[in-house]
């Protein structure tokens, strides 16, 4: 992944083993919400594509669709 996207910085946020109750982890809910939105697209819900570049193209299309919906319906 580092070769394909050299400017990408990732941070793994781990839950503390000492935590006894619910604690909000930073930025994790944003990622989970975005993945849930993308999984609402039928083509992405299952692994139908034979090639990675086809799957990536449909992922881009689904992302564009989400962005357009946010821009056109700012409610």
């Amino acid at each position: 992944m580092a070769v394909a996207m050299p400017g990408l910085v990732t941070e793994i946020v781990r839950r503390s083993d000492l935590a006894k109750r619910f604690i909000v982890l930073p930025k994790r809910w944003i990622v989970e919400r975005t993945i849930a939105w993308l999984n609402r697209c039928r083509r992405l819900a299952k692994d139908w594509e034979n090639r990675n570049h086809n799957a990536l193209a449909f992922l881009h299309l689904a992302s564009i669709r989400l962005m357009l919906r946010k821009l056109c319906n700012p409610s």
Side-chain angles (χ1 to χ4, degrees):
M1 185 70 150
V3 176
M5 302 178 86
L8 182 67
V9 177
T10 57
E11 177 185 353
I12 298 173
V13 179
R14 300 201 184 273
R15 184 175 56 91
S16 172
D17 292 333
L18 303 175
K20 298 281 185 188
R21 57 187 181 85
F22 177 77
I23 299 174
V24 176
L25 298 176
K27 306 283 183 176
R28 182 174 177 156
W29 66 273
I30 297 171
V31 173
E32 290 176 353
R33 179 190 64 195
T34 306
I35 291 172
W37 283 342
L38 289 172
N39 277 335
R40 289 178 63 193
C41 297
R42 293 185 67 201
R43 187 96 184 217
L44 299 177
K46 299 284 183 184
D47 209 8
W48 295 101
E49 307 306 324
N50 292 332
R51 299 186 178 191
N52 285 340
H53 68 271
N54 290 350
L56 187 59
F58 281 106
L59 182 63
H60 284 155
L61 288 172
S63 300
I64 290 168
R65 178 179 164 260
L66 284 173
M67 286 189 292
L68 284 174
R69 288 183 70 196
K70 294 290 180 190
L71 288 172
C72 295
N73 299 326
S75 55

